[in-house]
C-alpha cells in the first residue's frame, strides 16, 4: 500500500525556522515526484513546488520561490519542506502528495503549522 | 500563469440528484486536468485524472469530460458521502499545477 506519512503539528513564533517531513512507503520513492500543497485556514489548495527524489530535481511555483525550500533524502524515503524565517501568514495545513502520471494520486495526512507570537 | 476557474463556487443538491461542476482554464491545457474531492479535516482524494480517466477505486457515478479549456465533473446520482468540496487542477504547466478555487457541494 502506498503511504505518505507526515510529521506532526507545529506551533512556532515568527522568525523561527522549521522543517517538516513526508515519508513515503509501499513504492519506489525515487521514481515519483513529490509535491507540496498549502491550504490556508478555510481556503483552497495551492501547489507550492515539486521534487524528484531520484536526482533531487526541484521546481517551485513562482509564488513560493525563495519563500520555502523543498528537499529530499532518498536514503530514508523522506521529503522535506522548510522555512528559514516563519511569518504569521505561513499558518496553514501543508500536504505532501505523490505525482503519478499527471495527477497527485496519494497524499499525506497533512501537517498543521501555526505561527503566532 | 494558468488560471483555473470553477463554477459554481457552492451548490446545494439532494441525494439522488445529478450534479455537474465546471472548470475553465485561462488557456488550453489539452487533457491535463484532474479532479479531487476533499472532506473537512481530510486530505484531498484524486477522483479523475487526464480529464476523463477514473482513478482506481472511485465509484463509477463520477465522470469527467472536456479538453482544451472547458471541463466538467459529473456525479450521476449523489450519495450522502459525496457532500464535500471539489477541486479541479491543471497539470499542463510544470511546476505550477494550479487548482481551481473549489466547489462546495452541500445537502439541500
Amino acid at each position: 500500500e502506498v503511504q505518505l506519512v507526515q510529521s506532526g503539528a507545529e506551533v512556532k513564533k515568527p522568525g523561527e525556522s522549521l522543517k517538516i517531513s513526508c515519508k513515503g512507503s509501499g513504492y519506489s520513492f525515487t521514481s515519483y515526484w513529490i509535491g507540496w500543497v498549502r491550504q490556508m485556514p478555510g481556503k483552497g489548495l495551492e501547489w507550492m513546488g515539486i521534487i524528484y527524489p531520484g536526482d533531487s530535481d526541484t521546481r517551485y511555483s513562482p509564488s513560493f520561490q525563495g519563500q520555502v525550500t523543498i528537499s529530499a533524502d532518498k536514503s530514508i524515503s523522506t521529503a522535506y519542506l522548510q522555512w528559514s524565517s516563519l511569518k504569521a501568514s505561513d499558518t496553514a495545513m501543508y500536504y505532501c502528495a505523490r505525482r503519478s502520471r499527471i495527477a497527485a494520486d496519494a497524499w499525506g495526512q497533512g501537517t498543521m503549522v501555526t505561527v503566532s507570537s | 500563469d494558468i488560471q483555473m476557474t470553477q463554477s459554481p463556487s457552492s451548490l446545494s443538491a439532494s441525494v439522488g440528484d445529478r450534479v455537474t461542476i465546471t472548470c475553465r482554464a485561462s488557456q488550453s491545457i489539452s487533457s491535463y486536468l484532474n479532479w479531487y474531492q476533499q472532506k473537512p479535516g481530510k486530505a484531498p482524494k484524486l477522483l479523475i485524472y487526464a480529464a476523463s480517466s477514473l482513478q482506481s477505486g472511485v465509484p463509477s457515478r463520477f465522470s469527467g469530460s472536456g479538453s482544451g479549456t472547458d471541463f466538467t465533473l459529473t456525479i450521476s446520482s449523489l450519495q450522502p458521502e459525496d457532500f464535500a468540496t471539489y477541486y479541479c487542477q491543471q497539470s499542463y504547466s510544470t511546476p505550477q499545477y494550479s487548482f481551481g478555487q473549489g466547489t462546495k457541494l452541500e445537502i439541500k
Side-chain angles (χ1 to χ4, degrees):
Chain A
E1 179 195 6
V2 173
Q3 276 197 309
L4 296 172
V5 178
Q6 297 184 228
S7 50
E10 301 276 0
V11 179
K12 293 289 192 178
K13 290 182 167 37
E16 292 186 331
S17 62
L18 176 64
K19 190 174 191 177
I20 62 175
S21 66
C22 168
K23 183 173 177 62
S25 62
Y27 73 101
S28 174
F29 186 74
T30 55
S31 300
Y32 293 82
W33 292 81
I34 292 284
W36 286 93
V37 176
R38 182 175 78 175
Q39 187 167 38
M40 300 176 78
K43 302 299 184 183
L45 305 171
E46 300 173 90
W47 191 273
M48 302 174 71
I50 196 164
I51 187 166
Y52 190 73
D55 61 7
S56 290
D57 183 5
T58 307
R59 305 173 191 186
Y60 296 91
S61 293
S63 299
F64 293 95
Q65 179 82 46
Q67 307 305 306
V68 296
T69 301
I70 294 171
S71 61
D73 184 341
K74 61 184 179 182
S75 69
I76 54 172
S77 300
T78 300
Y80 301 97
L81 177 66
Q82 69 180 90
W83 296 258
S84 58
S85 181
L86 286 159
K87 303 183 284 287
S89 58
D90 293 318
T91 294
M93 181 71 81
Y94 293 88
Y95 294 102
C96 63
R98 184 184 82 159
R99 194 192 83 173
S100 176
R101 288 169 287 203
I102 69 165
D105 69 337
W107 293 69
Q109 82 276 20
T111 296
M112 185 66 208
V113 174
T114 302
V115 184
S116 174
S117 55
Chain B
D1 292 13
I2 298 177
Q3 308 300 321
M4 307 302 294
T5 304
Q6 288 181 233
S7 61
S9 295
S10 63
L11 174 60
S12 294
S14 301
V15 173
D17 283 354
R18 180 183 180 89
V19 167
T20 297
I21 298 169
T22 297
C23 179
R24 175 164 288 174
S26 60
Q27 67 183 73
S28 177
I29 57 171
S30 185
S31 295
Y32 289 82
L33 191 284
N34 311 306
W35 290 97
Y36 300 87
Q37 176 193 67
Q38 187 180 32
K39 296 181 178 179
K42 299 295 187 182
K45 173 187 173 183
L46 177 64
L47 300 176
I48 301 284
Y49 63 94
S52 60
S53 296
L54 192 67
Q55 174 68 357
S56 176
V58 174
S60 59
R61 63 181 179 272
F62 291 92
S63 64
S65 65
S67 67
T69 60
D70 294 312
F71 302 87
T72 59
L73 172 71
T74 299
I75 310 172
S76 61
S77 179
L78 271 174
Q79 299 302 301
E81 61 268 29
D82 299 337
F83 293 94
T85 300
Y86 293 84
Y87 294 93
C88 64
Q89 180 206 33
Q90 64 82 16
S91 52
Y92 179 84
S93 175
T94 305
Q96 300 170 249
Y97 297 148
S98 45
F99 292 93
Q101 80 278 16
T103 295
K104 187 173 184 179
L105 179 52
E106 298 174 305
I107 301 173
K108 185 183 285 185

